Structure formats: C-alpha cells, structure tokens
Amino acid sequence: MSLNELQGLQATETVGDWVASDFRLANVFTKYGIDFCCGGDVPVGQACAEKGISVETLLRDVETAQATAAVGEQYNDWSIDFLADYVINQFHAYTRKMLPQLVQYADAVANAHGAHHPETITIAGMMRPLALEMLDHMNKEEKLLYPYVKQIVNSHNTGAPLPTPEFGSAEALIVEMDKEHEETGDALEQFAELSNNFAIPEDACNTYRALYNFLAEFEATTKKHIHLENNILFPKAIRMEKELAAA
Ligand SMILES: [Fe+2]
Ligand SMILES: [Fe+2]
C-alpha cells in the first residue's frame, strides 16, 4: 500500500488536512496520541516521527478505519456558511447545554470526594472559568465571526462589495479564536491527565460516574467542534476573504 493509493493522502500534508478530508481518521490519530484539532497543523510525516511510528503503520490503521466505519458527513464539501450554521446548531447548542451541568457535577463531586480524590477539586476549580471562557468564545463566533463569514460567502457568490468589519478582518478575529481554542484544548487535556483518562474509581458515586462519562464525551465532542472550525471553516473563510480583497 502506498500513500498515493489512499485517496491521494500525502505525508507532507497536515494532520488537520487528513482529518478534514475524512473524519474517520480522527480516531486513528487519537490512538497514537497525535493531536488533530488545535495542534493539527503539523505534517503527518513529522507527527508520526515525533511519536516514533512509521507512516506505513498509520496507513494500515487508516485503511482499516476506512474499511470498517461508515463514511459519515462530508464536512469538507459543505459551503462554509452552511457549516457555520451546523456548528452553531450542533456543537454550540450541545456545549451550552452541557457546561452548567458539568460545573454543577464537578462542584458536587469535589465536595463529596475531594478528600480522597484531590484531583476532583482541581477539576472543579478549572471547570467554572473554562465554562465562562467557552460561552464568551461562542458568543463572539455567533455575533461577530459567523455573520461576517456569511457576508464573505455572499460577496463571493454575488460579487456584492465586502464591508470591512469593526474587528478588522475575519483573519484577525480568527487568530484570537485560535488562541482561545488552544486554551480550551489545554484545559481538556489537563482534565484527561488529572482523571487518568476519565477512569472511574471504585468508590465513585453515581454523580462521579456521570461527571467522568460526561467529561469524556465533552472532550471528544469539543475536539470535533474545534477541528471543524480550525481545519475547515476558518482556513476556507480566510482564503475566500483574501481572494475577495485581491479581486
Ligand atoms: Fe465554535
Ligand atoms: Fe471556536
């Protein structure tokens, strides 16, 4: 099997590009501890070398993933104004629903189990500021960035002039969004480390169980959310904005 035989995947392309072309590959990279969302701008060959695995080994898993899992949504083929609406309806809505619950459960578990499991106190202490940051971040995307992305798409499609937004440009705001994604990604990584990958201890009560199960799901869902923005939506919006400026 060669790289070329696998749908034109090239080791010089980034991890984020591979996952953008086929979301089934997210699990393959996760298996080897390779970050595909916030740190997805590393070439696949380099990411493999850093983890001490060969690209051929990775490709065997890619082949298995593509042979055994359904193709799923083709996010990379969607127009980015549709993708923006999808992200809001699917991921922002989920995040807004889960955050208050996570804060509440994390506080309850820290209170009940903090003496024997001090990591739950650390998690609870981090959860509240993370929730506030994520809410603020999503508001900026929904009120500023995504309406402007729609204007970019409209100008691209109709030739209507593109006004300069109060925040300078989509690219400038995206730099800020990227930084916030990294902070969220770091916090989620810390949760996974502190909880030994959300392993439920034997003396855990139902709330403790629920918290770790929710956190594991929240981590996976948020990685997908950030991936769709960082690796598909944002770069395409920046490219389109630049094309319009050059026209
Ligand atoms: Fe978002
Ligand atoms: Fe975001």
Side-chain angles (χ1 to χ4, degrees):
M1 174 180 33
S2 73
L3 285 175
N4 291 338
E5 286 166 30
L6 271 161
Q7 303 181 349
L9 295 172
Q10 301 291 331
T12 49
E13 287 175 342
T14 67
V15 174
D17 286 338
W18 278 34
V19 180
S21 75
D22 187 341
F23 191 73
R24 288 174 295 184
L25 308 193
N27 284 340
V28 176
F29 287 113
T30 300
K31 176 182 167 187
Y32 293 106
I34 297 172
D35 180 14
F36 65 87
C37 69
C38 295
D41 54 354
V42 176
V44 171
Q46 185 188 326
C48 286
E50 282 169 5
K51 293 291 175 186
I53 60 158
S54 69
V55 176
E56 284 66 33
T57 301
L58 188 86
L59 280 174
R60 269 195 292 277
D61 285 325
V62 166
E63 199 177 34
T64 305
Q66 291 181 330
T68 54
V71 174
E73 280 86 358
Q74 302 292 295
Y75 306 108
N76 210 19
D77 294 340
W78 293 358
S79 90
I80 55 171
D81 51 348
F82 180 80
L83 183 57
D85 280 337
Y86 175 79
V87 164
I88 291 170
N89 286 300
Q90 185 77 17
F91 292 95
H92 289 197
Y94 165 84
T95 307
R96 281 204 179 87
K97 185 168 150 253
M98 290 306 293
L99 284 173
Q101 227 165 337
L102 287 170
V103 168
Q104 193 195 334
Y105 280 32
D107 283 347
V109 170
N111 281 333
H113 298 271
H116 291 111
H117 298 285
E119 67 278 8
T120 60
I121 298 175
T122 312
I123 290 173
M126 291 170 65
M127 187 60 79
R128 197 174 290 270
L130 174 70
L132 293 173
E133 277 166 29
M134 289 186 84
L135 290 172
D136 181 56
H137 172 87
M138 291 188 300
N139 281 339
K140 278 186 268 186
E141 287 178 341
E142 288 177 25
K143 296 206 164 74
L144 304 175
L145 182 59
Y146 289 165
Y148 191 61
V149 164
K150 289 186 182 179
Q151 280 186 292
I152 291 174
V153 173
N154 182 54
S155 294
H156 172 84
N157 291 345
T158 67
L162 183 66
T164 303
E166 58 188 91
F167 43 85
S169 66
E171 187 171 20
L173 189 54
I174 284 170
V175 169
E176 197 184 317
M177 296 298 103
D178 277 345
K179 255 188 237 145
E180 292 175 359
H181 285 169
E182 256 170 62
E183 285 164 16
T184 300
D186 288 347
L188 293 175
E189 209 170 295
Q190 282 186 57
F191 288 160
E193 271 169 32
L194 285 163
S195 64
N196 193 17
N197 269 322
F198 312 108
I200 296 164
E202 277 182 13
D203 59 340
C205 63
N206 282 340
T207 310
Y208 203 145
R209 259 169 227 286
L211 174 68
Y212 276 18
N213 287 335
F214 285 170
L215 271 179
E217 181 196 71
F218 187 76
E219 189 206 28
T221 307
T222 303
K223 278 187 177 170
K224 185 169 185 180
H225 173 183
I226 292 177
H227 155 73
L228 292 176
E229 293 178 337
N230 271 19
N231 296 327
I232 300 181
L233 213 168
F234 292 178
K236 283 187 180 176
I238 290 174
R239 220 176 300 140
M240 218 179 250
E241 182 179 51
K242 283 191 174 150
E243 279 169 18
L244 287 165

